[in-house]
Amino acid sequence: MTEDNYSLTNEFILIGLTNDPDLKTLLFVVFFAMYLVTMVGNLGLVALIYMEHRLHTPMYIFLGNLALMDSCCSCAISPKMLENFFSEDRRISLYECMAQFYFLCLAETADCFLLAAMAYDRYVAICRPLQYHTMMSKKLCVQMTTAAYIAGNLHSIVQVGLLLRLTFCGSHQINHFFCDVLPLYRLSCVDPYINELMVLILAGFVQTFTITVVLISYFCILFTIFTMKSKEGRGKALSTCASHFLSVSIFYGSLLYMYVWPNSFNKGDKDIPVAIFYTLVIPLLNPFIYSLRNKEVINTIKRIMKI
């Protein structure tokens, strides 16, 4: 079939989550509430860390940037999704679609590197406490944070550039609630093999590298903790790391299932629940996972509320 026989597509229709009018109202309320809580929680945490001088340490700098990226992820997805619940015309242009995926890819990639940086920070704090201020200097903290943003931007630029090489034709309905690479590949009338290969290579590298850093860091941390003689010291160290390890496990598990796991490109509708989890639920939970288990953050909030 020649290209002239195709109806080329410069815009798409986001099918969304449901066409049931009653269920749409319920889902709108639920996801709107999630969006508000996500933005208040994450931006509030960023503001708290920025304003409180005591929290200007590597761990909280990484945490503040993680919260900022979670806000970016939610902003990239939620507004359009909420609009489409009651919109008759659920169209999104090709370039709006690319922009949406760009910011999502930026946020998710930066999150991977920030979580790895946080794991390394905890390793130094627990396994090398006397060398902490030397090994985790302010300069290194800034370099690691900058590297996370650079990696996120580079990964996003490459993936969007590869998407723009595709020609979309025939059906222009995206069976999803946002513009993700996997449903876009299914609409391509050009073989997306190169794109799929690059997703596996780049996403696989990002996740393999950062997961390796996390696992090695936590192996050393657990070894150090279980060799501690003080039960109180072991409990304090485990409590410090538990929230970070919980967040890492949930985040990486969902991303690996979506983009790196075998047959991930052929899941179809099955990728929607997982996508909801890593784009909407995890950014909602992260501020609470870190804040509710962190005495310094809780004490700072209490002190501010008393003023």
Side-chain angles (χ1 to χ4, degrees):
M1 186 180 291
T2 64
E3 188 172 310
D4 292 336
N5 292 329
Y6 286 115
S7 175
L8 299 182
T9 300
N10 290 318
E11 61 181 9
F12 305 98
I13 294 177
L14 291 170
I15 298 300
L17 300 175
T18 182
N19 288 318
D20 186 327
D22 295 329
L23 192 55
K24 276 185 177 183
T25 303
L26 175 62
L27 289 177
F28 176 84
V29 172
V30 170
F31 285 113
F32 182 65
M34 288 174 61
Y35 178 57
L36 288 180
V37 174
T38 299
M39 297 307 294
V40 171
N42 282 290
L43 294 181
L45 188 58
V46 171
L48 186 71
I49 292 170
Y50 177 77
M51 292 187 299
E52 181 55 49
H53 183 73
R54 297 179 187 178
L55 301 181
H56 291 181
T57 61
M59 181 176 74
Y60 293 106
I61 291 172
F62 293 139
L63 179 55
N65 283 279
L66 183 70
L68 188 62
M69 286 296 96
D70 282 344
S71 300
C72 176
C73 179
S74 188
C75 282
I77 303 300
S78 295
K80 189 65 178 179
M81 181 189 69
L82 293 170
E83 176 191 338
N84 286 344
F85 276 122
F86 298 109
S87 174
E88 295 294 330
D89 181 8
R90 291 174 289 183
R91 295 179 184 274
I92 182 170
S93 73
L94 175 63
Y95 294 107
E96 286 177 316
C97 197
M98 296 300 104
Q100 190 180 57
F101 177 69
Y102 173 86
F103 287 107
L104 174 65
C105 185
L106 164 64
E108 300 297 347
T109 304
D111 274 359
C112 287
F113 284 96
L114 288 169
L115 289 169
M118 291 170 72
Y120 177 74
D121 174 73
R122 292 300 84 205
Y123 155 74
V124 177
I126 293 172
C127 302
R128 305 285 185 87
L130 298 179
Q131 298 172 285
Y132 181 79
H133 293 291
T134 303
M135 294 179 66
M136 283 303 299
S137 63
K138 185 177 180 180
K139 181 180 178 181
L140 178 61
C141 179
V142 171
Q143 288 174 340
M144 294 172 79
T145 304
T146 303
Y149 284 111
I150 292 173
N153 275 287
L154 288 176
H155 189 200
S156 300
I157 290 169
V158 171
Q159 294 296 352
V160 170
L162 288 169
L163 279 173
L164 290 173
R165 69 173 281 274
L166 300 178
T167 302
F168 302 98
C169 53
S171 173
H172 57 292
Q173 295 184 343
I174 298 178
N175 190 23
H176 217 298
F177 61 95
F178 70 94
C179 288
D180 199 6
V181 287
L182 305 188
L184 285 172
Y185 291 166
R186 299 177 193 123
L187 299 182
S188 174
C189 52
V190 177
D191 186 359
Y193 172 76
I194 294 176
N195 295 65
E196 293 175 354
L197 182 63
M198 290 304 295
V199 166
L200 286 174
I201 292 172
L202 294 177
F205 170 77
V206 168
Q207 294 183 42
T208 301
F209 174 76
T210 54
I211 287 174
T212 300
V213 173
V214 170
L215 291 178
I216 292 174
S217 298
Y218 272 94
F219 177 80
C220 296
I221 288 169
L222 289 174
F223 180 79
T224 302
I225 287 173
F226 289 118
T227 55
M228 289 180 177
K229 295 181 180 180
S230 168
K231 289 184 178 180
E232 183 180 346
R234 286 200 298 268
K236 185 177 180 181
L238 283 170
S239 178
T240 301
C241 296
S243 57
H244 180 251
F245 191 72
L246 174 63
S247 178
V248 165
S249 301
I250 295 171
F251 180 73
Y252 280 113
S254 57
L255 284 185
L256 283 169
Y257 178 81
M258 277 294 291
Y259 299 110
V260 181
W261 202 259
N263 298 319
S264 61
F265 299 104
N266 300 313
K267 293 190 181 81
D269 294 346
K270 295 179 182 178
D271 58 13
I272 293 179
V274 182
I276 291 173
F277 202 72
Y278 78 83
T279 59
L280 302 175
V281 176
I282 291 177
L284 169 72
L285 295 178
N286 272 347
F288 300 99
I289 289 174
Y290 289 107
S291 301
L292 295 178
R293 295 185 60 85
N294 193 301
K295 291 182 180 180
E296 288 185 69
V297 173
I298 291 174
N299 290 336
T300 301
I301 293 171
K302 287 180 179 178
R303 188 169 64 254
I304 291 174
M305 291 179 67
K306 288 180 181 178
I307 295 175

